[in-house]
């Protein structure tokens, strides 16, 4: 695509980055076919090709409008279009730049600004956990829009963390909302890794990966989150960086929330222009692995620890599961099939939805709060494809997807590592 940047953007970091991305786009429209919002709304400007056109016009000097902002807001940033694109257009980075520029020029209504501020500060605050506990106590009385975001109280086992020291160690990002909403995901991860002879460490000062502020166009705040996490992790990483030894140094940073993993793997890019953090950010990204990438090498140690072991390949599987691959896993990290392969190796019967397994469930971070109508339409569409599988549970790999889907079905929706943890021998 030919572009002619206005003088305002020519030679700037954002302008040059956007220009390079735009020039890869051939406007073929393949991306439109796999865009969830285009499928719902049928508007070219609510698909990747239309949004690319809007961003291009702004970079070339057009004044964006409130309508421009709304079309960019409706994007889930699911990155399905990147998977589809034959030209390798980095749409996610382009729309991030476009939103940042448009928000500087188009003032949002006061109600939107307030909602975004509450999400940005509230979800990452230390007060989120007590607020969630209060919400769980009052859950029968809260409005439906909030009840959807408040899971039932977790069992005591959800807070049971293994105490065994191991020579092999990994770091785990606890996350900002996951410990309060679904704490069993982190403890189940630690228990499964413990059964494999790996100790899981959580750095106290690490917090939100930066995704929430990034999605809400607070670029500076997102970078501050990233730097804080790097500072929290670095003491356990620098020894490995220096001499390659194990011992007290962690061998990987394991992510059990695919949305966080997608962002942390991008720290090297996000901080590439920061002279103090660029090299450390690159190293952190290189050490980061989704749990589904780290666990396969440990399966020989894990399989003997599972209860109700299958005596033969033909024996009935432990549990029939429907797997929903989050967008941040299959499109953001380009990881497909790894979780299904792990679960099948461990004796579970796993099925993907026969239709639209590649499409977003509508959670998309804060999207389900800011765009509730579209979000619920996508959720219901996803469940309509998953529930006919007749599975005993739906499993996924991201806390947002799990809670979003659970809000509209009585079928249990869980993290896949939880079902593995349940199968561990006592």
């Amino acid at each position: 695509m030919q572009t002619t940047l206005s003088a305002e953007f020519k030679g700037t970091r954002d302008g040059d980055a956007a220009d390079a991305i735009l020039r890869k786009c051939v406007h073929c429209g393949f991306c439109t076919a796999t865009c969830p919002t285009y499928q719902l709304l049928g508007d070219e400007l609510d698909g990747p090709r239309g949004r690319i056109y809007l961003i291009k016009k702004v970079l070339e000097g057009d004044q964006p409008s409130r309508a421009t902002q709304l079309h960019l807001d409706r994007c889930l940033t699911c990155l399905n279009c990147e998977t589809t694109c034959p030209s390798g257009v980095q749409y996610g980075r382009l729309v991030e730049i476009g939103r940042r520029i448009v928000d500087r020029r188009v003032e949002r209504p006061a109600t939107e600004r307030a909602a975004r501020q509450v999400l940005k500060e509230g979800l990452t605050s230390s007060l989120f956990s007590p607020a969630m506990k209060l919400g769980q106590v009052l859950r029968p009385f809260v409005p439906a829009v909030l009840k959807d975001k408040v899971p039932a109280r977790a069992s005591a086992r959800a807070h049971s963390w293994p105490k065994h020291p191991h020579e092999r160690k990994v770091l785990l990002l606890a996350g900002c909302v996951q410990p309060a909403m679904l704490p069993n995901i982190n403890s189940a991860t630690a228990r499964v890794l413990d059964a494999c002879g790996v100790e899981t460490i959580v750095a106290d000062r690490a917090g939100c990966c930066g995704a929430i502020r990034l999605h809400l166009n607070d670029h500076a705040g997102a970078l501050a989150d990233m730097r804080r996490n790097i500072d929290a992790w670095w003491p356990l990483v620098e020894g490995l960086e220096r001499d390659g030894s194990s011992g007290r140094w962690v061998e990987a940073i394991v992510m059990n929330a695919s949305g966080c993993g997608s962002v942390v793997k991008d720290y090297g890019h996000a901080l590439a222009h920061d002279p103090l953090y660029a090299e450390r950010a690159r190293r952190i990204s290189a050490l980061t692995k989704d749990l589904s990438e780290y666990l396969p090498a440990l399966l020989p140690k894990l399989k003997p620890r599972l209860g109700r072991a299958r005596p033969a390949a033909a024996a009935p599987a432990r549990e029939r599961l429907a797997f929903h691959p989050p967008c941040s896993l299959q499109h953001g990290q380009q990881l497909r099939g790894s979780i299904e392969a792990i679960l099948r190796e461990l004796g579970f019967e796993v099925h993907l939805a026969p239709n639209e397994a590649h499409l977003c469930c509508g959670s998309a971070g804060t999207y389900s709060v800011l765009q509730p109508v579209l979000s619920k339409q996508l959720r219901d569409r996803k469940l309509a494809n998953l529930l006919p599988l007749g599975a005993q549970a739906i499993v996924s790999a991201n806390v947002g997807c799990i809670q979003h889907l659970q809000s509209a079905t009585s079928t249990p929706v869980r993290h896949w590592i939880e079902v593995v943890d349940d199968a561990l021998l006592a």
Side-chain angles (χ1 to χ4, degrees):
M1 181 186 295
Q2 185 65 40
T3 60
T4 307
L5 297 188
S6 68
E8 179 184 358
F9 299 110
K10 198 168 186 178
T12 66
R13 186 181 300 164
D14 277 352
D16 288 348
D19 190 41
I21 296 170
L22 286 167
R23 287 178 180 273
K24 284 188 175 182
C25 178
V26 297
H27 232 55
C28 66
F30 286 2
C31 56
T32 303
T34 57
C35 175
T37 50
Y38 178 78
Q39 291 195 21
L40 289 180
L41 300 170
D43 187 335
E44 175 78 8
L45 296 179
D46 283 311
R49 184 167 62 176
R51 294 184 182 112
I52 287 172
Y53 176 78
L54 290 173
I55 295 168
K56 175 180 181 290
K57 298 302 290 181
V58 171
L59 290 168
E60 290 181 333
D62 280 14
Q63 174 61 33
S65 65
R66 174 67 175 150
T68 308
Q69 190 175 57
L70 289 172
H71 288 304
L72 297 186
D73 282 351
R74 289 187 191 127
C75 173
L76 294 136
T77 326
C78 68
L79 305 185
N80 204 340
C81 55
E82 288 196 6
T83 297
T84 309
C85 180
S87 302
V89 174
Q90 293 176 304
Y91 171 83
R93 288 177 179 167
L94 179 64
V95 79
E96 181 186 322
I97 294 169
R99 284 169 168 165
R100 195 155 60 235
I101 293 171
V102 169
D103 272 12
R104 287 200 296 261
R105 295 182 166 205
V106 179
E107 186 175 10
R108 292 184 177 276
T111 52
E112 281 192 18
R113 295 199 306 273
R116 287 169 170 259
Q117 188 67 19
V118 168
L119 288 169
K120 184 173 64 175
E121 301 302 331
L123 295 178
T124 60
S125 168
S126 59
L127 297 176
F128 179 76
S129 181
M132 178 58 65
K133 289 177 182 176
L134 179 62
Q136 289 170 332
V137 171
L138 301 176
R139 193 172 187 272
F141 310 104
V142 300
V145 68
L146 294 178
K147 188 180 295 185
D148 285 352
K149 307 302 176 188
V150 180
R153 280 183 284 185
S155 67
R157 179 169 167 76
H159 304 282
S160 174
W161 199 273
K163 305 295 185 183
H164 313 110
H166 296 288
E167 183 177 349
R168 296 183 66 180
K169 297 174 176 61
V170 296
L171 273 165
L172 177 73
L173 177 63
C176 46
V177 302
Q178 189 162 285
M181 290 182 69
L182 299 171
N184 192 53
I185 296 174
N186 287 340
S187 55
T189 301
R191 289 191 294 265
V192 170
L193 292 178
D194 177 66
C196 300
V198 178
E199 184 179 351
T200 303
I201 299 171
V202 174
D204 291 337
R205 292 188 297 118
C208 179
C209 64
I212 289 176
R213 289 187 170 87
L214 196 64
H215 293 165
L216 294 171
N217 301 329
D218 181 4
H219 190 64
L223 293 180
D225 285 339
M226 296 175 191
R227 294 185 186 103
R228 182 206 57 236
N229 287 345
I230 292 171
D231 288 341
W233 291 331
W234 196 250
L236 289 163
V237 170
E238 62 177 344
L240 183 64
E241 174 76 4
R242 184 174 61 250
D243 57 26
S245 63
S246 55
R248 70 185 186 91
W249 316 116
V250 296
E251 61 187 46
I253 303 171
V254 173
M255 297 286 159
N256 59 16
S258 59
C260 297
S262 186
V263 172
V264 177
K265 284 184 175 183
D266 204 44
Y267 276 16
H269 168 77
L271 292 165
H273 300 286
D274 186 326
L276 296 178
Y277 282 86
E279 182 55 31
R280 280 184 286 172
R282 182 200 63 77
R283 178 60 176 162
I284 291 295
S285 291
L287 279 172
T288 299
K289 295 181 182 297
D290 185 79
L291 182 58
S292 67
E293 293 177 284
Y294 184 75
L295 195 59
L298 301 174
L299 290 182
K301 292 185 177 182
L302 180 61
K303 288 172 72 174
R305 296 290 307 274
L306 297 186
R308 296 166 285 140
R310 295 168 68 191
R318 288 194 177 86
E319 194 172 355
R320 182 179 176 89
L321 304 172
F323 178 58
H324 162 59
C327 298
S328 47
L329 186 76
Q330 61 175 327
H331 305 307
Q333 298 186 56
Q334 293 289 306
L335 295 175
R336 297 182 192 84
S338 55
I339 292 173
E340 301 97 295
I342 291 170
L343 291 172
R344 287 173 184 142
E345 179 73 13
L346 296 176
F348 296 92
E349 182 185 346
V350 186
H351 298 273
L352 287 172
N355 299 306
E356 301 184 347
H358 61 289
L359 286 188
C360 183
C361 70
S363 174
T366 57
Y367 191 93
S368 61
V369 177
L370 298 174
Q371 301 287 338
V373 174
L374 294 175
S375 177
K376 288 181 179 178
Q377 287 177 341
L378 289 169
R379 177 199 64 189
D380 296 344
R381 184 168 175 159
K382 178 63 65 176
L383 287 171
N385 285 308
L386 287 169
L387 293 177
L389 293 170
Q392 292 165 274
I394 297 169
V395 293
S396 192
N398 196 54
V399 58
C401 303
I402 293 167
Q403 181 56 30
H404 188 53
L405 293 173
Q406 188 67 86
S407 68
T409 180
S410 59
T411 299
V413 185
R414 311 183 70 196
H415 194 287
W416 66 272
I417 201 64
E418 293 181 283
V419 300
V420 175
D421 175 53
D422 283 351
L424 279 174
L425 287 171

